[in-house]
C-alpha cells in the first residue's frame, strides 16, 4: 500500500503554475546520468519518459538522437516542455490513462514514479517494453550536504502543505510490492553544486508541498525569510552542496499477483 503522502491529490500539485514557473531553479541532472541511461541502448532506440515535467530527462535524450515520447498530466508542465523542444513527442495525460507506445527499449521515470498507481502502471510498462528493454527509475538529484541543511529541513517539515509526508524509499516500496526487480544500480559521485540563496529558495517552491497557490503568499514569504536567514548564517550569498543521483535499472513486474 502506498503511503498517504503519495496520494494523487498531492501529485496534482505539479499542475500549479507557481511550481512550473520555478521548475528551472531545480538543479539539472548531470551528464553522467544520461551516459548511464544510454550506455546500453541501440542507436535511435525508442524511449518513453513518464512524469516528464518540463523535459529535464526527455530533451537531453532526444538531443542524443533517440526517439523520445514523454507524458505528464500537468498541462502547464507540458506547455513549458513543448516551448523548450520540438524534438520530443509530448502528451498530457496521467500515466495510468495513457496508451503507451510499443517496442520501447527504455522507460524512464525521474522523481515521478512515486506519484503513480503502481498496480496499473507496472503491467503497462512491462507490456510496452521490448524483451531486452529496461525500466530506469531515477531518484535524487536535489542539493544536499550544505551548511544549515538540518535547520532548513525542519522549516520544510513545518511549512509543507503535505503534512502527511514521511521519509520513504521508493525502490524498497516497489520491490516489496513485487512491481520491480533491480538488476543494476548506477549512482553518480557527489557532484559539487552551488546556487544563490535566492534561487535555492525559489527551487523549494518547485517541489511538492511548496506550491505558492496552496501555501498562500504570506506563508510563502514567511518561509522564504526564515530559510534565507538560516542560510545567511553560513554564507551571505550562496548555498554550496552536492548532487547525487541514482538510477535503478530493472524489469517491471505485475505486482503481488505474479511476474
Ligand atoms: C518532481 S516532478 C519530476 C519531473 C521530471 N521527471 C524531472 O525529473 O524533473 C514529478 C512529475 O510527476 C508528474 N506526475 C504526477 N502524477 C503523475 C501520474 N499519475 N502520471 C504521470 N506523471 C505524474 C507531475 O505532474 C510532475 O511533473
Amino acid at each position: 500500500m502506498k503511503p498517504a503522502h503519495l496520494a494523487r491529490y498531492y501529485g496534482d500539485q505539479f499542475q500549479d503554475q507557481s511550481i512550473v514557473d520555478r521548475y528551472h531553479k531545480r538543479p539539472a541532472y548531470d551528464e553522467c546520468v544520461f551516459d548511464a541511461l544510454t550506455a546500453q541502448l541501440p542507436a535511435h532506440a525508442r524511449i518513453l519518459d513518464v512524469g516528464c515535467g518540463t523535459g529535464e530527462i526527455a530533451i537531453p535524450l532526444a538531443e542524443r538522437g533517440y526517439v523520445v515520447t514523454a507524458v505528464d498530466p500537468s498541462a502547464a508542465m507540458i506547455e513549458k516542455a513543448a516551448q523548450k523542444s520540438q524534438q520530443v513527442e509530448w502528451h498530457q495525460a496521467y500515466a495510468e490513462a495513457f496508451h503507451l507506445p510499443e517496442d520501447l527499449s527504455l522507460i524512464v521515470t525521474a522523481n515521478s514514479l512515486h506519484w503513480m498507481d503502481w498496480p496499473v502502471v507496472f503491467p503497462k510498462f512491462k507490456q510496452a517494453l521490448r524483451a531486452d528493454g529496461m525500466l530506469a527509475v531515477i531518484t535524487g538529484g536535489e542539493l544536499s550536504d550544505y551548511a544549515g541543511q538540518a535547520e532548513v529541513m525542519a522549516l520544510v517539515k513545518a511549512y509543507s502543505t503535505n503534512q502527511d509526508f514521511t521519509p520513504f524509499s521508493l525502490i524498497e516500496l516497489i520491490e516489496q510490492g513485487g512491481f520491480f526487480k533491480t538488476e543494476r544500480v548506477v549512482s553518480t559521485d557527489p557532484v559539487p553544486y552551488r546556487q544563490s540563496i535566492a534561487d535555492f529558495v525559489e527551487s523549494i517552491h518547485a517541489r511538492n508541498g511548496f506550491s505558492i497557490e496552496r501555501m498562500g503568499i504570506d506563508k510563502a514569504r514567511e518561509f522564504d525569510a526564515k530559510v534565507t536567514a538560516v542560510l545567511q548564517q553560513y554564507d551571505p550569498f550562496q548555498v554550496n552542496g552536492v548532487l547525487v543521483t541514482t538510477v535503478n535499472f530493472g524489469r517491471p513486474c505485475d505486482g503481488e499477483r505474479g511476474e
Side-chain angles (χ1 to χ4, degrees):
M1 241 272 287
K2 278 177 80 177
H5 70 273
L6 300 180
R8 176 172 282 191
Y9 165 78
Y10 292 120
D12 282 350
Q13 297 201 3
F14 290 97
Q15 309 197 8
D16 294 357
Q17 194 64 46
S18 66
I19 290 196
V20 178
D21 288 346
R22 288 161 184 76
Y23 209 80
H24 63 287
K25 303 283 184 182
R26 291 172 63 139
Y29 292 105
D30 195 77
E31 273 300 299
C32 53
V33 173
F34 300 99
D35 293 343
L37 288 174
T38 56
Q40 300 187 359
L41 284 182
H44 311 301
R46 290 164 61 85
I47 301 175
L48 174 67
D49 179 7
V50 190
C52 62
T54 61
E56 284 63 27
I57 293 291
I59 295 172
L61 288 176
E63 286 170 349
R64 287 185 177 213
Y66 298 99
V67 180
V68 183
T69 304
V71 61
D72 197 287
S74 165
M77 288 283 192
I78 291 293
E79 187 185 346
K80 176 67 83 117
Q83 285 165 7
K84 286 162 63 180
S85 173
Q86 297 180 348
Q87 284 178 274
V88 174
E89 188 181 312
W90 304 107
H91 292 269
Q92 187 221 332
Y94 287 100
E96 295 81 350
F98 183 56
H99 184 71
L100 270 54
E102 292 172 359
D103 216 21
L104 296 167
S105 294
L106 183 69
I107 297 177
V108 188
T109 65
N111 288 309
S112 57
L113 182 60
H114 48 288
W115 297 120
M116 299 172 208
D117 187 357
W118 302 328
V120 177
V121 296
F122 275 95
K124 287 168 74 111
F125 293 166
K126 187 175 152 187
Q127 176 83 25
L129 281 174
R130 291 161 52 97
D132 59 353
M134 281 282 167
L135 172 63
V137 181
I138 300 180
T139 51
E142 68 278 358
L143 190 64
S144 63
D145 278 2
Y146 55 88
Q149 184 171 358
E151 293 148 277
V152 169
M153 283 303 138
L155 289 168
V156 163
K157 191 167 189 289
Y159 278 82
S160 174
T161 61
N162 188 341
Q163 284 295 314
D164 288 325
F165 181 79
T166 48
F168 70 108
S169 158
L170 172 65
I171 300 298
E172 272 177 36
L173 287 175
I174 58 179
E175 288 190 336
Q176 282 163 8
F179 296 109
F180 185 67
K181 277 192 197 136
T182 297
E183 292 183 12
R184 196 160 52 90
V185 184
V186 178
S187 267
T188 66
D189 290 332
V191 181
Y193 188 83
R194 75 164 60 144
Q195 192 169 32
S196 73
I197 291 176
D199 280 354
F200 175 73
V201 170
E202 289 278 84
S203 81
I204 300 177
H205 290 293
R207 295 187 178 277
N208 186 258
F210 287 88
S211 148
I212 292 177
E213 288 91 325
R214 290 174 207 234
M215 293 181 85
I217 191 70
D218 293 342
K219 272 273 174 221
R221 294 298 159 244
E222 188 181 297
F223 171 77
D224 295 358
K226 287 187 181 177
V227 172
T228 302
V230 164
L231 294 170
Q232 283 178 337
Q233 296 175 104
Y234 303 97
D235 183 309
F237 306 111
Q238 289 189 329
V239 194
N240 290 282
V242 296
L243 311 175
V244 176
T245 307
T246 301
V247 188
N248 283 62
F249 292 93
R251 295 284 308 168
C253 313
D254 289 333
E256 282 148 348
R257 291 187 305 271
E259 304 262 304

